[in-house]
Amino acid sequence: MTSPILVTGGTGTLGRLVVPLLREAGQDVRVLSRGRHQPGSNAAHVTGDLLTGAGVEAAVAGAETVLHLAGGPKGDDEATRNLVRAASRAGVRHLVYISVIGADRVPLSWLRSKLDAERAIADSGLPWTTLRAAQFHDLTLTMMEKMAKLPVIPVPGGLRLQPVDARDVAARLAELTLDKPAGLVPDLAGPRVYGMAELARGYLRARGKRRPMLPVRMPGKAGRAYRAGENLTLDGADVGARTWEDFLAERVQPAR
Ligand SMILES: NC(=O)c1ccc[n+]([C@@H]2O[C@H](COP(=O)([O-])OP(=O)(O)OC[C@H]3O[C@@H](n4cnc5c(N)ncnc54)[C@H](OP(=O)(O)O)[C@@H]3O)[C@@H](O)[C@H]2O)c1
């Protein structure tokens, strides 16, 4: 009998895409989440909370590989430390983590917690693989939907994104999970770099909407880091196949 792969956050945007790929590859999969999202796959589901530690030891028991995707706006460092402790006790042989491009360069607290989570993985003493990905198209779409509800769209000057399709990230993570531990692998970014105005124009065109745009300045150190492109990987990244325009064509209908 093969041991199951534990996927934390297997019910999230990314997790729902990775779990079926692992299942298609013939793997047993166990999904850990708090149970706030509907299970979306024919994998085994266990309930636990990585922030409190409840249920984590039972979830890890017997798993040789752990793919850690669970995340939220804060606490990813603490959640990851709890997972690492349980994984060490259970003798896990491969710990795979998804982080964010710029975690080591952009001074924002949630990115700092991603970096601390990366360090907890790298310092765990367990064999590991970490992939840093760019912002997913899904999150870019959520941002655009919110901004387009305003009468005027604020456009932070100099802010660029390199959005990537979560399906491309899922495919890469499935490969990495089934391969040998590789440490920090090349970043995965989207096929193009866009200014915020260009992303917003693409969205508005797809929705058949019009909105005036207002240039704004992102303040502080984080603003400086974004203007310097610290959230981008322009050289040496692996590049996903699907563009923002491909994603919009699939997901966004013109407003009636
Ligand atoms: N979205 C992006 O643009 C992006 C870009 C690069 C990297 N990432 C990283 O990719 C990962 C997945 O992102 P996503 O967009 O798929 O997130 P998501 O859709 O918000 O899903 C988060 C998942 O984590 C689970 N979860 C959250 N807190 C938990 C906790 N305390 N204990 C156990 N499970 C918990 C959630 O399930 P329940 O709510 O049911 O517990 C859910 O399955 C995150 O680590 C994120 O930082 C995201």
Side-chain angles (χ1 to χ4, degrees):
M1 229 173 73
T2 60
S3 82
I5 296 175
L6 175 68
V7 181
T8 75
T11 56
T13 305
L14 183 58
R16 279 170 181 269
L17 298 168
V18 183
V19 169
L21 299 178
L22 296 173
R23 295 283 297 134
E24 277 159 35
Q27 302 294 319
D28 272 350
V29 176
R30 187 187 293 160
V31 166
L32 167 70
S33 76
R34 294 163 303 180
R36 297 186 187 175
H37 291 73
Q38 285 299 312
S41 60
N42 63 347
H45 285 258
V46 294
T47 304
D49 189 330
L50 288 164
L51 277 174
T52 64
V56 178
E57 222 150 279
V60 172
E64 286 187 2
T65 302
V66 174
L67 172 57
H68 178 32
L69 308 176
K74 56 182 183 184
D76 283 9
D77 46 355
E78 191 54 40
T80 302
R81 284 192 285 269
N82 287 337
L83 178 67
V84 162
R85 263 193 298 276
S88 299
R89 280 198 290 267
V92 164
R93 297 203 187 152
H94 188 188
L95 190 48
V96 184
Y97 184 53
I98 179 74
S99 186
V100 181
I101 294 178
D104 54 338
R105 301 189 301 258
V106 178
L108 284 178
S109 66
W110 75 275
L111 283 172
R112 176 72 210 193
S113 84
K114 294 301 285 185
L115 184 63
D116 287 346
E118 285 186 14
R119 289 182 176 149
I121 302 264
D123 296 343
S124 65
L126 298 171
W128 59 279
T129 302
T130 290
L131 172 68
R132 290 179 180 151
Q135 178 167 322
F136 305 160
H137 291 324
D138 306 75
L139 182 58
T140 310
L141 177 59
T142 305
M143 271 169 51
M144 292 301 153
E145 286 169 342
K146 285 193 181 141
M147 293 198 320
K149 291 204 171 94
L150 302 169
V152 175
I153 295 189
V155 176
L159 171 56
R160 290 168 293 158
L161 296 180
Q162 209 169 8
V164 66
D165 198 287
R167 288 165 293 187
D168 293 324
V169 181
R172 183 81 187 105
L173 279 171
E175 282 170 9
L176 292 167
T177 302
L178 299 176
D179 208 337
K180 287 193 275 298
L184 184 63
V185 298
D187 295 349
L188 180 58
R192 274 195 56 199
V193 176
Y194 300 82
M196 288 298 281
E198 200 181 0
L199 289 169
R201 273 197 297 274
Y203 171 75
L204 292 170
R205 206 176 307 117
R207 285 291 282 157
K209 281 187 169 189
R210 284 169 187 274
R211 285 285 180 281
M213 295 189 204
L214 178 71
V216 294
R217 188 174 167 79
M218 258 181 96
K221 284 186 189 159
R224 268 203 299 285
Y226 275 108
R227 282 190 294 280
E230 302 287 18
N231 60 318
L232 308 173
T233 302
L234 302 175
D235 289 320
D238 286 338
V239 170
R242 298 168 177 97
T243 63
W244 172 235
E245 290 78 11
D246 296 335
F247 177 85
L248 288 172
E250 284 177 37
R251 289 281 292 271
V252 177
Q253 310 299 324
R256 293 186 186 196

